[in-house]
Amino acid sequence: MAITLDAQLLEILACPSPDHAPLRPGTPDDPDADALTCTECGRVYPVRDGIPVLLLDEAISPTDPDDSHADGA
């Protein structure tokens, strides 16, 4: 399901990482995903119940493997 954020809100939202780049809807693999992707660093931020979760701890880094965390095991 594609996210539906107000256009004005999307204009002012920015990645919370130090580069503060604009965000675009969707992910690189799925433009209709409930997420926002940073145009600079590529981090993907989830959108839950229509609310963007712009926390670096919640972001999926473009270098992370699919839905898994490397724990050295």
Side-chain angles (χ1 to χ4, degrees):
M1 174 161 103
I3 59 171
T4 54
L5 293 175
D6 182 66
Q8 287 181 319
L9 176 61
L10 194 54
E11 281 183 31
I12 62 172
L13 289 178
C15 181
S17 71
D19 57 20
H20 302 296
L23 300 168
R24 62 178 167 74
T27 67
D29 296 332
D30 183 4
D32 291 329
D34 286 338
L36 295 171
T37 301
C38 178
T39 57
E40 183 69 28
C41 67
R43 286 184 179 97
V44 176
Y45 297 93
V47 176
R48 296 185 186 127
D49 297 325
I51 301 169
V53 182
L54 299 179
L55 300 170
L56 290 173
D57 290 342
E58 295 284 326
I60 299 169
S61 176
T63 58
D64 283 349
D66 293 338
D67 296 332
S68 65
H69 298 283
D71 58 4

